[in-house]
Amino acid sequence: MKYLLPFAFLLTLWSCSDDSTLVIDPQSTLGVTVEKMKSDYSLLPEEAISFSLDSTALAQYAQPTEKYPHGVMGDDIEAEQLVVAVEGSIYVHTLEEDYLFEDLRPRIYDIDGDGQLEFITIRTQVERGAGIAIYKVINEQLVEYAYVAEIGFLTRWLNIVTMDDLDNDGVVELVWVQTPHIGGILKVAKFNGGEMTVIDEATEQYSNHRGRTRHLCMSVLTEIDGQKFFYLPSQAGDKIVGFSFSNRQLIKEQTIDLEVDFTKPLSEQHPFEGLILDPVNCIDL
Ligand SMILES: [Ca+2]
Ligand SMILES: [Ca+2]
């Protein structure tokens, strides 16, 4: 017997196959792992699992909570637990009582370039709002590895734009919009272990999310002749703005006049040249 993959699985694996009815054999190692992740933990309503492209790493949120009535993605149900699987072994990290994941599913990316995948989350502290927390399996434990400090105020949230080595210096940059609903500030930090500090930010306002929607995939990454660019909507949603990053600075490269639809991925809304699709980390339910 086989079962259909949930939507999130299809989303993450669609680029591996033209078959839109991908199935997974529950007797396979992957099938057993997925079943264990679904049956052994207290899931969120959407039951969204992220799969790395090679399916060696899986991640989901679990342990629902309604302790933080913000509802930024349409309901007040957020998560207290991160559950990941690496090559069939499952690891769990449960947050302290005053934290929660205000997110849909974890991102999976080799952010420190060591060949091992890390797990990138939007994590909120109940009085200081959202930050970014990066987890890694070290010595058989799923531990916090790096973080961006919380915004500092209750109900303030952020959404990730991209993770990539944007300036080709061998170190990954992390880009996000702080408070995308109320005057979004575009920020960039270079990865390092421990607390990550902002290197640059854009003074004009941007937004990669509309309140109470379940679409976080509102940015794209492109590469042309080895140069990386990323694009995201203006705060008003009437433009798409393209940036590069070099010499520790965000550089505005292009403005595209376009009425953005915040209910579908930005990659589908403009014929971006050199588009790098990231189905693992295009978070959209
Ligand atoms: Ca890594
Ligand atoms: Ca870099």
Side-chain angles (χ1 to χ4, degrees):
M1 191 180 76
K2 294 180 175 181
Y3 53 80
L4 285 172
L5 292 169
F7 177 75
F9 201 172
L10 292 173
L11 180 74
T12 56
L13 288 182
W14 72 269
S15 62
C16 302
S17 170
D18 293 326
D19 182 1
S20 61
T21 58
L22 274 172
V23 291
I24 141 177
D25 181 352
Q27 306 299 322
S28 67
T29 304
L30 180 60
V32 169
T33 303
V34 170
E35 196 51 45
K36 198 166 167 53
M37 288 178 74
K38 289 166 74 78
S39 63
D40 288 7
Y41 300 91
S42 179
L43 302 180
L44 273 67
E46 52 266 25
E47 300 189 13
I49 301 179
S50 293
F51 293 74
S52 63
L53 279 178
D54 62 2
S55 296
T56 60
L58 287 65
Q60 70 180 11
Y61 294 122
Q63 200 164 299
T65 176
E66 296 185 60
K67 68 187 173 191
Y68 188 70
H70 187 202
V72 71
M73 278 161 293
D75 63 29
D76 288 339
I77 306 169
E78 311 299 349
E80 295 180 319
Q81 206 170 52
L82 173 65
V83 180
V84 313
V86 180
E87 292 175 352
S89 296
I90 293 181
Y91 304 89
V92 179
H93 182 92
T94 303
L95 295 176
E96 292 175 20
E97 198 165 321
D98 53 346
Y99 284 90
L100 60 141
F101 294 110
E102 205 174 7
D103 202 355
L104 293 175
R105 58 181 175 85
R107 293 145 206 80
I108 304 178
Y109 191 78
D110 180 7
I111 206 157
D112 61 1
D114 70 345
Q116 182 185 339
L117 293 163
E118 284 80 42
F119 304 92
I120 298 95
T121 68
I122 301 172
R123 186 185 66 183
T124 292
Q125 200 276 346
V126 296
E127 293 176 349
R128 299 195 299 272
I132 297 170
I134 298 171
Y135 295 86
K136 183 176 179 115
V137 176
I138 300 174
N139 296 329
E140 297 300 307
Q141 303 263 336
L142 181 61
V143 296
E144 183 180 315
Y145 184 48
Y147 69 99
V148 172
E150 293 91 13
I151 295 164
F153 300 96
L154 179 74
T155 71
R156 295 295 184 265
W157 185 75
L158 58 79
N159 185 19
I160 292 170
V161 172
T162 194
M163 297 166 283
D164 202 279
D165 181 8
L166 298 170
D167 57 359
N168 295 322
D169 71 344
V171 180
V172 166
E173 282 76 40
L174 183 61
V175 183
W176 68 95
V177 175
Q178 177 177 303
T179 59
H181 311 130
I182 54 169
I185 305 166
L186 180 66
K187 299 199 172 208
V188 58
K190 271 187 189 297
F191 174 80
N192 57 53
E195 183 171 2
M196 293 172 66
T197 53
V198 172
I199 296 168
D200 196 18
E201 59 183 54
T203 53
E204 293 177 328
Q205 295 181 348
Y206 299 93
S207 179
N208 58 349
H209 183 254
R210 285 293 187 256
R212 304 193 74 79
T213 70
R214 301 172 77 69
H215 306 277
L216 307 188
C217 186
M218 295 307 303
S219 52
V220 300
L221 180 68
T222 70
E223 181 172 6
I224 299 171
D225 296 332
Q227 170 69 57
K228 305 272 177 54
F229 303 92
F230 66 86
Y231 292 78
L232 77 167
S234 61
Q235 177 71 46
D238 58 354
K239 295 180 188 65
I240 301 172
V241 184
F243 286 86
S244 64
F245 176 75
S246 66
N247 295 321
R248 299 175 67 83
Q249 290 186 318
L250 290 164
I251 300 156
K252 193 168 155 183
E253 299 274 3
Q254 189 183 4
T255 300
I256 301 161
D257 288 325
L258 183 124
E259 203 62 41
V260 175
D261 180 350
F262 282 82
T263 67
K264 60 182 187 184
L266 193 66
S267 60
E268 297 175 4
Q269 300 186 46
H270 178 78
F272 293 98
E273 187 184 349
L275 180 66
I276 300 173
L277 284 171
D278 185 354
V280 178
N281 298 315
C282 176
I283 309 290
D284 199 86
L285 293 183

